[in-house]
Amino acid sequence: MELAKFKIEFPDKKGYWVELHSASLMNESMMIHVDNWVRNNRLGKRMAFNMWKLKNEQSRNWFILRWS
């Protein structure tokens, strides 16, 4: 699968949350692909369709580098 790029937002919640947005790539199979990457790298867990709660700032930075 090609490298997908998303707009990443940071919800105002306690912890290290990220939320993905894209005009063309927002489907369940793409979110599963992102979630598999997060779980395989032990960065955090999926909390909603396009939201992840990550373990720490380093995990969030890796997420940003990969998906933005």
Side-chain angles (χ1 to χ4, degrees):
M1 182 174 280
E2 71 181 55
L3 284 177
K5 300 297 178 185
F6 296 92
K7 178 183 177 203
I8 299 176
E9 293 185 359
F10 307 100
D12 188 23
K13 296 177 181 266
K14 185 175 181 174
Y16 299 96
W17 288 75
V18 291
E19 184 174 352
L20 294 182
H21 295 278
S22 172
S24 61
L25 297 171
M26 298 302 289
N27 59 55
E28 183 64 21
S29 65
M30 191 63 213
M31 296 301 104
I32 288 172
H33 178 69
V34 173
D35 188 47
N36 286 339
W37 181 85
V38 170
R39 287 187 294 122
N40 289 340
N41 289 289
R42 298 179 184 163
L43 301 178
K45 64 181 181 175
R46 188 176 180 187
M47 303 301 284
F49 172 71
N50 64 335
M51 293 178 73
W52 284 262
K53 184 175 183 183
L54 304 174
K55 294 194 302 188
N56 52 38
E57 187 174 1
Q58 182 179 3
S59 297
R60 183 176 61 192
N61 290 341
W62 278 112
F63 189 97
I64 293 166
L65 286 170
R66 171 59 177 91
W67 299 107
S68 65

